[in-house]
Amino acid sequence: MEKHAYLIMAHASFGLLGKLLEALDDERNDIFVHIDARKADVPYAQLHCKRAGLYFTDRIPTHWGGPSQIWAELILLETALAKGHHSYYHLLSGVDLPIKSQDYIHDFFERNAGKELVSFWKMKKNTPSRFVYTPFAEHGLNFFANLANCVFKGIQTAFRFGHCRDVDYRYGANWFSITEALAEYVVERKEWIRKVFDHRCNCDEIFLQTLVWNSPFFEKCWRPGEEYAGMAEDLGNLRLTDWTRGPSVRHPWVFEDGDYEMLTNSSCLFARKFSQGSGIVDRILEYTKQEKVK
């Protein structure tokens, strides 16, 4: 039996995290959870599985957009790799849900064994500012730190300072489903990742794409075939995220009951994001329990 490792980055919404664990609770899975160290009173007794292995990793403080996001991902990968062999490693947030059954997901990866699910986006004009310039403080700490970063970046731009400009950077969603071979490759390059991406902004959406693009693993990236006609190339990670209705370009839409048909008809495997207490969560949970492999 080929096991999968689910890597979950959680901050709060522990009721929803419990629902996610329920959706992933399968004897073919091991689940590894990193909870932001800034969060106190974690209800561990309410977070459990009956069939899957469930492990809570060491915790570090994580800030949105800061390099701590990368370090938390590396903690998850290292912990899962140390537990033994897994054919795939899936990174999710604590407000994600699978929108396919575990049978469907395992069947998909058996049919596409060796493929890497990593998305690549087109670079925007301001994307290089994430990795070229050194911020004054970790992004996401507070308003004043972010303001100081903007000023500090402006000074560096004016004097044409830059960091690791010889790297061929790439960009995409930070959520992935990758093979054990790629997971090991990433962890083996931890020191290089720290050298290039420490003290940078929003590089959790850049470090993996950059590694993959500049390695033989890029040729193994999954791309939509004829059965996924019309699916955008940047959905190479098969995560459904609606950026068209969210409150800003930084925050995707939070799915509601009215999105049920869109979610269940999607060709994606996972979706984000959901809200704790929303009725759509239980409906999706029930759907994935009943859905069969087609």
Side-chain angles (χ1 to χ4, degrees):
M1 176 179 67
E2 288 290 323
K3 289 196 115 181
H4 287 201
Y6 280 92
L7 320 175
I8 301 175
M9 295 180 62
H11 168 69
S13 301
F14 293 116
L16 180 53
L17 176 59
K19 297 286 186 181
L20 173 57
L21 295 180
E22 182 182 345
L24 302 176
D25 192 8
D26 186 289
E27 63 273 5
R28 296 167 290 183
N29 298 334
D30 284 328
I31 305 170
F32 302 86
V33 183
H34 177 276
I35 299 175
D36 188 342
R38 296 176 298 161
K39 188 66 178 177
D41 302 321
V42 178
Y44 288 105
Q46 300 173 25
L47 303 172
H48 53 81
C49 290
K50 296 179 180 178
R51 295 174 292 277
L54 177 59
Y55 308 93
F56 293 93
T57 71
D58 293 339
R59 300 168 62 190
I60 62 171
T62 53
H63 302 278
W64 182 89
S68 54
Q69 296 278 93
I70 299 175
W71 315 146
E73 290 182 35
L74 289 172
I75 288 172
L76 283 163
L77 283 168
E78 288 176 321
T79 306
L81 285 166
K83 277 293 178 184
H85 171 66
H86 301 89
S87 59
Y88 271 90
Y89 294 72
H90 310 279
L91 181 67
L92 302 173
S93 84
V95 293
D96 295 357
L97 285 175
I99 52 176
K100 300 294 182 187
S101 69
Q102 284 302 304
D103 284 345
Y104 186 106
I105 292 171
H106 279 265
D107 177 73
F108 174 88
F109 285 101
E110 285 178 11
R111 289 185 288 107
N112 293 277
K115 293 294 185 181
E116 311 293 350
L117 270 63
V118 179
S119 75
F120 288 85
W121 298 339
K122 291 182 179 179
M123 286 274 194
K124 299 176 182 177
K125 184 178 180 179
N126 64 344
T127 303
S129 67
R130 298 185 179 194
F131 48 79
V132 171
Y133 304 110
T134 303
F136 177 78
E138 180 172 0
H139 185 77
L141 284 177
N142 53 53
F143 169 80
F144 296 104
N146 292 343
L147 180 61
N149 286 342
C150 290
V151 174
F152 202 49
K153 184 177 73 175
I155 294 172
Q156 293 174 77
T157 302
F159 287 93
R160 297 190 177 184
F161 293 151
H163 169 78
C164 293
R165 288 181 178 270
D166 58 334
V167 176
D168 190 1
Y169 295 95
R170 287 298 182 272
Y171 162 60
N174 55 327
W175 316 108
F176 57 72
S177 293
I178 61 176
T179 63
E180 186 162 79
L182 179 49
E184 291 172 338
Y185 181 83
V186 172
V187 169
E188 288 168 0
R189 280 148 186 80
K190 181 168 67 172
E191 292 309 312
W192 181 86
I193 293 170
R194 286 193 178 276
K195 174 187 174 183
V196 176
F197 296 106
D198 203 5
H199 306 298
R200 304 289 163 251
C201 295
N202 298 101
C203 281
D204 55 322
E205 296 179 334
I206 294 172
F207 87 98
L208 180 65
Q209 281 74 14
T210 300
L211 276 175
V212 171
W213 178 267
N214 293 286
S215 77
F217 289 99
F218 180 72
E219 298 301 321
K220 300 178 181 179
C221 284
W222 180 87
R223 290 293 177 262
E226 292 182 2
E227 69 273 32
Y228 295 90
M231 177 177 281
E233 282 288 319
D234 64 7
L235 283 179
N237 63 355
L238 285 177
R239 268 70 169 171
L240 178 63
T241 309
D242 186 348
W243 293 100
T244 65
R245 294 181 287 168
S248 74
V249 294
R250 294 182 176 182
H251 301 285
W253 175 252
V254 179
F255 292 114
E256 300 176 347
D257 272 351
D259 299 312
Y260 180 80
E261 296 297 328
M262 178 182 69
L263 289 163
T264 55
N265 289 330
S266 172
S267 298
C268 289
L269 303 178
F270 308 96
R272 71 181 312 270
K273 56 188 196 174
F274 295 86
S275 175
Q276 185 165 294
S278 172
I280 188 63
V281 172
D282 285 328
R283 292 182 70 190
I284 292 298
L285 214 60
E286 190 61 29
Y287 170 77
T288 57
K289 289 177 181 178
Q290 296 177 358
E291 189 213 23
K292 304 298 182 183
V293 177
K294 297 177 182 178

